[in-house]
Amino acid sequence: MKRALLIFLIVFIVMQFIRPNKENIAVQRDLEIKADLEVMQIFHSACYDCHSNETKWPWYSNISPFSWVVANHVTQGRKALNFSTWENYTQEEKDKKLKDIYRTAYASMPLPSYIFAHEDANLTKEQRTFIRNWTGVRAK
């Protein structure tokens, strides 16, 4: 038992030296998505940590293996949609991403694992409807 605990502790310590990239690239405000104040507040509270270059890295993102999971979610989120580089998308890409936001506003975002640690990101039905209405108008 002591040997297994010692091995676990050594592995845990070694894991701490494998650090993911947690870089926040400087934001150029002229490239950021533009929306009404209420929409931007919703995006900032529920979306920006994974879908922008303004991630607020929580304390547990410094502890492996949690750091790997958080960094992977941010990397994948930015790859799918990055509000900080919105104006770099073509109009066709913007339209597609707006449709994706429209679909995921009810279906899958924010991720349940994110909501578990960030209760304020759990959008109400009204907020989800508001986002869907906003994206629906812009995607046409």
Side-chain angles (χ1 to χ4, degrees), residues 5 11-12 26 54 57 85 99 101 116 118 126 130 138:
L5 188 57
V11 169
F12 182 76
E54 298 181 57
W57 298 97
T85 60
K99 288 177 186 174
I101 294 169
F116 178 76
H118 303 88
E126 291 78 23
F130 191 81
R138 269 135 197 88

Side-chain angles (χ1 to χ4, degrees), residues 102 105-106 123-135:
Y102 182 90
Y106 274 102
L123 301 177
T124 64
K125 184 178 180 181
E126 291 78 23
Q127 288 173 311
R128 292 175 190 275
T129 300
F130 191 81
I131 292 296
R132 288 189 83 182
N133 291 342
W134 180 83
T135 58

Side-chain angles (χ1 to χ4, degrees), residues 21-25 27 44 47-58 61 70-71 73-75 77-78 82 84 114 118:
N21 179 9
K22 297 190 323 180
E23 182 180 18
N24 277 344
I25 300 164
V27 176
H44 278 281
C47 310
Y48 259 53
D49 277 347
C50 292
H51 295 285
S52 80
N53 294 336
E54 298 181 57
T55 302
K56 294 178 190 126
W57 298 97
S61 71
V70 172
H73 281 184
V74 171
T75 299
R78 288 177 179 172
N82 190 332
S84 296
Y114 184 77
H118 303 88

Side-chain angles (χ1 to χ4, degrees), residues 2-133:
K2 287 182 183 180
R3 183 180 173 119
L5 188 57
L6 181 62
I7 290 170
F8 175 79
L9 183 60
I10 291 170
V11 169
F12 182 76
I13 290 170
V14 168
M15 286 170 38
Q16 303 316 304
F17 292 98
I18 304 170
R19 311 297 294 173
N21 179 9
K22 297 190 323 180
E23 182 180 18
N24 277 344
I25 300 164
V27 176
Q28 292 180 294
R29 295 291 172 206
D30 58 322
L31 296 179
E32 189 175 31
I33 192 167
K34 308 293 187 279
D36 305 335
L37 180 60
E38 188 172 357
V39 173
M40 290 304 292
Q41 287 174 335
I42 294 169
F43 285 164
H44 278 281
S45 70
C47 310
Y48 259 53
D49 277 347
C50 292
H51 295 285
S52 80
N53 294 336
E54 298 181 57
T55 302
K56 294 178 190 126
W57 298 97
W59 65 269
Y60 54 85
S61 71
N62 293 308
I63 302 170
S64 297
F66 306 110
S67 61
W68 306 337
V69 174
V70 172
N72 183 57
H73 281 184
V74 171
T75 299
Q76 295 304 314
R78 288 177 179 172
K79 188 183 215 179
L81 168 66
N82 190 332
F83 289 122
S84 296
T85 60
W86 182 260
E87 292 303 326
N88 286 338
Y89 296 131
T90 65
Q91 190 57 49
E92 183 179 318
E93 289 171 322
K94 288 177 185 177
D95 291 343
K96 181 185 180 316
K97 291 185 184 304
L98 286 169
K99 288 177 186 174
D100 290 344
I101 294 169
Y102 182 90
R103 282 196 307 271
T104 61
Y106 274 102
S108 60
M109 288 293 155
L111 295 174
S113 59
Y114 184 77
I115 293 172
F116 178 76
H118 303 88
E119 290 180 19
D120 58 323
N122 193 6
L123 301 177
T124 64
K125 184 178 180 181
E126 291 78 23
Q127 288 173 311
R128 292 175 190 275
T129 300
F130 191 81
I131 292 296
R132 288 189 83 182
N133 291 342

